[in-house]
Amino acid sequence: MYKQKIIKLSNFDRILECLYRNPGISRKDISDLTGITPATVTTTVAAMTKDGLVNELGQIEEDRGSIGRSRIALDIFGGSGCTIGVEATLTGLTTCAADLHGRMLYRKSNPFSSHISDNVNAFIIACIRACIDSIDVPKDRILGIGIAIPGHMDHNNQHMIASNDKWQDFDGLSIQAAFDYPVVFENNIRCMAVAQYLHSPQNTPSNFALFHVGLGMFCANMTEDGLYIGTTYGSGEIGHTIAVPDGKRCECGKRGCLQTVATEPALLESAAFIFNHNDTSLLHNFAQCPEDLTIDHVTAAYTLGDPAIRQIVTQALKYLCISILNIAILMNPEKLFLHGRLFNNEDIRQDFLEMILEQFDFTKKNYRLGTVEFLTSDPADGALGGAALAILKCVIHA
């Protein structure tokens, strides 16, 4: 049965999104790409320029000296406003403000504690207010607030659906009620995908996937129709696909989920075992006890050639490689971005890329499986993603 699309974009929305995806584009090219008449494009861009949202960059170089009307390059004026982003995870709560080009104006992180999870709504509200008071932006140019959550949003009652009970008191309605600005919510990895889509258009096709490996795992999918959400809370939960049949019990209740062998907690659990049972492990150079180990210690030991660490990391990469190949075959994104602190290590990136390319070549180039790219992971990525979500939902699709 035919189902009408929920989102119907106005000419304003389509032109603004086209500008984000094609910085430096001309009015004529906007008309050609969107199918909107040149007259409507001209009128709409004039209104955007008057409002300060769009500015002219000057004549397009190839038109100089040519006969006929010159084309003027257009772009979003990043300083015309800002959005605020918040991410809450089991690592901590990060708040940021960014201009409309995603440039950071403010950043503040608070380490996770039971106080935050027990008072999550009040804490988020206080962090947002502190951000608003700290930035040199007129209050009427704050255009929206995006909350990046470590789970799924039940938009019917604005509660979070998460795999742990740390966020059971999260209440989106109380956060929305605290501000006069629009407040929107989405999964934190999907927010990162939105930031990639809006702020790195030259490097990011319309059809891509962003695979995050950290405390948990998630694969966000962007298609030409927009951010794919799905109809159930299982969409994107790549960490709960089976990697090791009859393997370790996962928090979801199944055995052998991918996240039990390839997330940061899984690797740190294996590293702690090595620390306790291998006196010659290089891990002893980084920590006094296994509880002090971090994923950076694990990746450093990998680079230095610790045999046991290289074995567990390589095994995890093999499982991840299988999942990436499955994504490439089943979803066929033009590009697959890999994100996580594990991949900040150059040696791991190189070894992992070799595994992936070897698997991608199984078709002898008869099929195009897209490309793979690593993104450097920063603790503020989720919060910046929240700010990008606010641009998408409160500015472009307002």
Side-chain angles (χ1 to χ4, degrees), residues 10 15 60 70 111 117 124 179 185 188 200 254 264 288 325 339 373-374 381:
S10 67
I15 292 170
I60 293 177
S70 62
S117 63
I124 289 175
F179 301 99
F185 308 87
N188 52 353
S200 299
K254 302 195 304 293
E264 289 182 17
Q288 297 298 314
L325 183 62
H339 179 271
E373 182 175 325
F374 294 94
D381 287 341

Side-chain angles (χ1 to χ4, degrees), residues 109-331:
S109 295
N110 298 275
F112 177 80
S113 67
S114 59
H115 173 73
I116 290 179
S117 63
D118 292 342
N119 303 275
V120 60
N121 304 305
F123 200 86
I124 289 175
I125 291 168
C127 288
I128 294 172
R129 286 176 174 160
C131 174
I132 292 172
D133 292 339
S134 299
I135 57 178
D136 185 22
V137 176
K139 299 298 187 289
D140 65 343
R141 301 313 296 171
I142 298 174
L143 304 179
I145 300 167
I147 313 293
I149 62 171
H152 299 269
M153 198 69 187
D154 178 355
H155 292 286
N156 292 326
N157 55 32
Q158 297 296 62
H159 280 285
M160 188 193 308
I161 308 297
S163 58
N164 61 69
D165 61 359
K166 301 296 184 182
W167 311 111
Q168 60 183 351
D169 295 327
F170 181 89
D171 179 15
L173 292 175
S174 66
I175 298 172
Q176 288 175 325
F179 301 99
D180 293 330
Y181 309 110
V183 183
V184 291
F185 308 87
E186 190 48 80
N187 172 271
N188 52 353
I189 313 306
R190 288 182 180 142
C191 289
M192 294 181 199
V194 171
Q196 187 68 27
Y197 175 78
L198 292 180
H199 301 315
S200 299
Q202 296 91 340
N203 191 44
T204 307
S206 297
N207 175 22
F208 71 91
L210 194 155
F211 191 149
H212 169 80
V213 179
L215 297 180
M217 267 181 205
F218 196 87
C219 186
N221 301 298
M222 184 74 77
T223 71
E224 293 191 2
D225 288 331
L227 188 64
Y228 181 75
I229 304 299
T231 56
T232 70
Y233 299 126
S235 175
E237 294 289 354
I238 191 71
H240 293 296
T241 56
I242 302 300
V244 187
D246 300 322
K248 183 182 296 184
R249 179 81 67 182
C250 178
E251 63 185 12
C252 73
K254 302 195 304 293
R255 286 191 176 275
C257 288
L258 180 63
Q259 74 172 33
T260 65
V261 291
T263 54
E264 289 182 17
L267 290 170
L268 287 173
E269 182 179 346
S270 297
F273 181 87
I274 293 169
F275 186 99
N276 288 328
H277 295 86
N278 187 341
D279 293 337
T280 64
S281 172
L282 295 176
L283 293 175
H284 293 283
N285 296 332
F286 304 118
Q288 297 298 314
C289 62
E291 291 76 20
D292 292 336
L293 290 172
T294 68
I295 199 65
D296 292 331
H297 296 148
V298 172
T299 59
Y302 181 93
T303 292
L304 292 171
D306 185 302
I309 291 298
R310 290 190 71 88
Q311 181 179 357
I312 64 167
V313 171
T314 299
Q315 187 63 50
L317 295 180
K318 288 179 179 178
Y319 288 125
L320 287 172
C321 188
I322 293 170
S323 293
I324 287 169
L325 183 62
N326 290 338
I327 291 171
I329 293 172
L330 294 174
M331 301 177 57

